Amino acid sequence: MKTVSTAFLILAAGLAPLPAYAFSEPLSESSIDTADFAVWTQQQQEADSVAASARNDPTIPDTEAAEGPDEAAVPSTDPETVASAADGIDSPAPPEIAVTDEPGQVVETPAYSTDGPDEAALETADEPKTPDPFLIRLQVLLDRAYASPGVIDGYLGDNTRKAIEAYERMRDLPADGEPDADLWNILAVDQGKAMTTYEITEADLEERFVEEIPSDYGEMAEMEWLGYRDPVEMLAERFHVHADLLKKLNPNADFNASGTAILVPNIGKGPEAKVAKIVVDKTRGELFAYDAAGAIVLAYPVTIGSADTPSPDGVLTVQAIAPNPTYHYSPETNFQQGENKEVLTIPAGPNGPVGSMWIDLSQPTFGLHGTAHPELVDKSNSHGCVRLTNWDAETLAKLVEPGVTVVEFEG
């Protein structure tokens, strides 16, 4: 199949060009808050039509790059990014996809997934990725409606489709996980702006930042605190946004200066209803929380265990809540990481192995917890626990009741 940019296809085919915003809409508060489903749909249809016509034109050269070494195929040594293939499935290995801003790390698309990661959305090889203003707005509104897309990044990936389907279920719409007019008409009833301005404070800059987070548990155990590496990482998590997108939204901002005003997602307040039951769908990589009446309170993407270290089965109970937990590493009880064969106590912090929150379950060693890599949620496998973004884990922890909330594993 030919791999050429949409812009080249249009020019080569001698077709009228689409407006510039169809390809590279500048990211601004206005462009995001005025983004509309009808306009976005028309842009997608026109671009698809132009591309299809041009690709069928034999006079247009194939600009696909010659085959060479695939740097993204280098296996990762980080246990959090290594995904296991499903047992008993006789099919080609899923593709490995490079992780943005994490050199050497790759993730394997789960066997059940129909799409690549949000941050690795499919595009033509020679066209730079640009976050879509409409998709940013869509993700913010979904997040604010408690159907989390995970990291807000401006791409239509698997976690965003799951959030759409969860919202459709919440609103009794036909649930197919695709953006459509019915979904948008109800979601857009939220008239609040998708973006807002935040001013960086002195308190933000006094956070306990650390210069580097090692991947080796033995080296982690020698540290006092596994904090954020810089204000960008901290603020990105606070506003549920990919760090790359936060920087694109604020290209000239000094994130190290108090008083700097930055553009961020307007994430709103979290839900308040108490959670009586949590259902973890291990096949879909998704968590649903229900109140006592059976209504969906929230839906989050999650990472579940691998074939070698599977998540539990059946029904468990929430036992305790532990904000900023230390992590007890026991290779005999759990798994062995690297060359670490001794019991270790790894310090607390949002960049620790279990992130900023641990929700303890009634089966020993298992819990629902945060992660140091929010962009990898449901893009890899855990060692049996259920992994969420730090902010989703923190929100869920406020709603569950130890000894009362049950956690049911399905799939």
Side-chain angles (χ1 to χ4, degrees):
M1 179 178 176
K2 295 178 180 178
T3 305
V4 290
S5 72
T6 305
F8 175 79
L9 290 169
I10 291 172
L11 293 173
L15 300 172
L18 292 174
Y21 61 75
F23 306 112
S24 57
E25 171 79 8
L27 293 180
S28 67
E29 184 173 10
S30 175
S31 70
I32 296 169
D33 278 324
T34 60
D36 180 75
F37 173 74
V39 175
W40 179 79
T41 301
Q42 182 181 1
Q43 292 172 5
Q44 307 311 303
Q45 292 173 344
E46 291 176 347
D48 288 346
S49 177
V50 169
S53 298
R55 286 194 177 98
N56 290 328
D57 188 337
T59 64
I60 298 177
D62 184 354
T63 60
E64 186 169 9
E67 291 187 6
D70 184 1
E71 295 181 359
V74 178
S76 171
T77 57
D78 185 344
E80 185 159 10
T81 67
V82 178
S84 298
D87 284 348
I89 297 177
D90 185 14
S91 60
E96 290 180 327
I97 303 173
V99 180
T100 305
D101 284 349
E102 295 284 350
Q105 291 193 31
V106 295
V107 294
E108 187 177 273
T109 302
Y112 58 82
S113 176
T114 58
D115 195 9
D118 285 20
E119 75 275 12
L122 298 178
E123 286 204 339
T124 52
D126 59 342
E127 185 175 12
K129 293 187 301 182
T130 303
D132 187 300
F134 170 76
L135 294 176
I136 295 173
R137 185 182 179 196
L138 175 69
Q139 289 173 332
V140 173
L141 294 182
L142 287 168
D143 186 274
R144 211 154 63 197
Y146 318 140
S148 172
V151 178
I152 295 168
D153 59 8
Y155 298 103
L156 186 58
D158 203 45
N159 283 343
T160 298
R161 287 188 168 91
K162 286 193 294 189
I164 292 171
E165 186 170 343
Y167 183 81
E168 289 169 332
R169 287 178 56 183
M170 291 175 174
R171 297 294 183 266
D172 294 323
L173 295 171
D176 62 2
E178 296 295 333
D180 58 38
D182 290 338
L183 166 81
W184 184 249
N185 288 339
I186 295 177
L187 190 60
V189 169
D190 178 347
Q191 295 296 316
K193 290 188 174 182
M195 307 302 292
T196 189
T197 301
Y198 176 78
E199 188 172 294
I200 297 174
T201 67
E202 288 286 352
D204 292 330
L205 302 179
E206 291 170 359
E207 179 83 15
R208 291 176 66 188
F209 297 116
V210 296
E211 186 173 339
E212 184 179 353
I213 302 292
S215 60
D216 182 78
Y217 279 10
E219 295 178 24
M220 281 187 181
E222 297 176 357
M223 299 179 69
E224 296 181 357
W225 169 251
L226 297 172
Y228 294 116
R229 282 159 285 207
D230 53 40
V232 171
E233 185 179 32
M234 177 191 69
L235 292 166
E237 290 214 3
R238 183 182 301 176
F239 294 103
H240 307 182
V241 64
H242 198 293
D244 285 351
L245 178 55
L246 182 62
K247 289 185 284 189
K248 284 187 174 79
L249 289 167
N250 302 279
N252 301 314
D254 183 353
F255 288 94
N256 294 297
S258 175
T260 299
I262 57 174
L263 186 64
V264 297
N266 184 10
I267 56 176
K269 298 179 179 179
E272 298 180 355
K274 288 298 181 181
V275 171
K277 182 175 75 170
I278 293 169
V279 174
V280 178
D281 188 326
K282 295 191 292 183
T283 301
R284 288 178 52 80
E286 193 165 22
L287 177 154
F288 286 88
Y290 299 84
D291 63 17
I296 299 175
V297 176
L298 54 81
Y300 292 155
V302 296
T303 294
I304 51 89
S306 67
D308 293 332
T309 55
S311 295
D313 293 313
V315 180
L316 306 179
T317 305
V318 171
Q319 295 288 91
I321 306 298
N324 280 319
T326 56
Y327 180 66
H328 181 76
Y329 168 73
S330 175
E332 292 186 1
T333 304
N334 305 118
F335 61 94
Q336 181 175 327
Q337 195 258 6
E339 299 298 320
N340 295 299
K341 300 179 180 180
E342 303 295 327
V343 171
L344 300 170
T345 297
I346 299 176
N351 272 320
V354 292
S356 62
M357 180 60 67
W358 174 270
I359 301 174
D360 198 47
L361 300 181
S362 53
Q363 185 168 333
T365 78
F366 288 100
L368 315 177
H369 64 82
T371 177
H373 300 282
E375 71 281 0
L376 296 184
V377 167
D378 194 31
K379 307 298 191 294
S380 59
N381 289 122
S382 74
H383 292 289
C385 291
V386 177
R387 188 183 300 145
L388 307 90
T389 66
N390 280 334
W391 57 86
D392 285 344
E394 291 168 9
T395 297
L396 184 61
K398 297 175 183 177
L399 306 178
V400 300
E401 297 181 87
V404 176
T405 303
V406 297
V407 181
E408 182 177 332
F409 289 84
E410 297 181 345

